Amino acid sequence: MLRILITIAALCFAGIATAQEFPAVHRVTDVANHDVLNIRAEPSARADIVGSFGPYETGIEVVGLSPDRRWGLVRSGEGVGWSSMRYLTPQRTGSWQDGTQHLTCFGTEPFWSFNLFMPSNRAEFEDLGMGGFEVRSNAPHHNITRHPATMALRFNGARQGFAVIRQGVCSDGMSDRLFGLETQVYWQGAREGFSGCCTLTP
């Protein structure tokens, strides 16, 4: 956990989390068939190896970059690590803000999940207390800000409410994993909202 706190502090201090192109989904490229792309504990080729990606692996979410932009912060199992950006290529065009990429948001205390099936406007919310229900968002006609990078979505249907999703290093509080988006969700008639993280990969 200490390493995660240090990583968060380093990212925020360096301003890495505000780079608008991140988080973004990448794939492995230029790795030989018999080789792997290593995930290291620190952004250095000398750091310990904590995991690896196969030569054709896809769906890798890069949360942010090291200060020299040569290493990307990625998730590895229940933790995080760094992989060389030389071997990672964007898998999708566009930004997480444009409303074309599926977002999965979730939180703890209480446990909840929110699937935003963009580019459609369908969304499904589930919470232990409220149960599950389907709503419709105003995507792709939602509002955004560039600095800081945020997006705001309104919901109608089974419930009315809104969510604000913003760029920022986010911890789920249950593991050493980090995510590149944080969110707050509010439903009409409920005094308290929901706070959590969002990811571009399931």
Side-chain angles (χ1 to χ4, degrees), residues 87-202:
Y87 302 102
L88 290 171
T89 300
Q91 189 174 320
R92 303 171 183 168
T93 59
S95 163
W96 63 270
Q97 286 183 288
D98 60 21
T100 63
Q101 299 188 48
H102 181 175
L103 287 176
T104 301
C105 304
F106 51 88
T108 59
E109 298 182 4
F111 288 95
W112 61 273
S113 63
F114 202 3
N115 278 294
L116 305 172
F117 298 104
M118 295 182 287
S120 78
N121 64 355
R122 187 169 71 88
E124 292 180 352
F125 183 87
E126 187 167 357
D127 165 61
L128 291 177
M130 300 172 63
F133 53 86
E134 182 174 308
V135 292
R136 299 287 172 173
S137 76
N138 61 333
H141 307 294
H142 57 283
N143 302 99
I144 67 171
T145 60
R146 296 294 184 188
H147 304 287
T150 70
M151 66 185 297
L153 295 165
R154 297 191 305 274
F155 303 103
N156 289 285
R159 297 289 295 268
Q160 291 186 327
F162 68 95
V164 177
I165 301 171
R166 62 179 57 83
Q167 195 175 49
V169 180
C170 184
S171 170
D172 62 11
M174 300 289 289
S175 70
D176 286 340
R177 295 184 301 169
L178 294 178
F179 302 87
L181 298 171
E182 56 183 8
T183 186
Q184 284 75 44
V185 181
Y186 303 91
W187 298 113
Q188 185 174 339
R191 179 176 175 80
E192 292 190 15
F194 298 83
S195 294
C197 306
C198 296
T199 176
L200 295 167
T201 56

Side-chain angles (χ1 to χ4, degrees), residues 19-78:
Q20 273 195 281
E21 65 265 35
F22 295 97
V25 178
H26 287 63
R27 59 185 174 86
V28 175
T29 56
D30 297 327
V31 172
N33 293 341
H34 61 278
D35 207 350
V36 296
L37 174 60
N38 288 322
I39 305 171
R40 296 186 179 271
E42 303 293 339
S44 167
R46 297 179 179 178
D48 292 340
I49 296 173
V50 296
S52 65
F53 295 120
Y56 302 107
E57 194 143 351
T58 61
I60 301 166
E61 186 170 348
V62 177
V63 175
L65 298 178
S66 60
D68 61 8
R69 302 183 69 87
R70 295 174 57 190
W71 296 85
L73 182 66
V74 297
R75 287 190 296 278
S76 172
E78 290 298 305

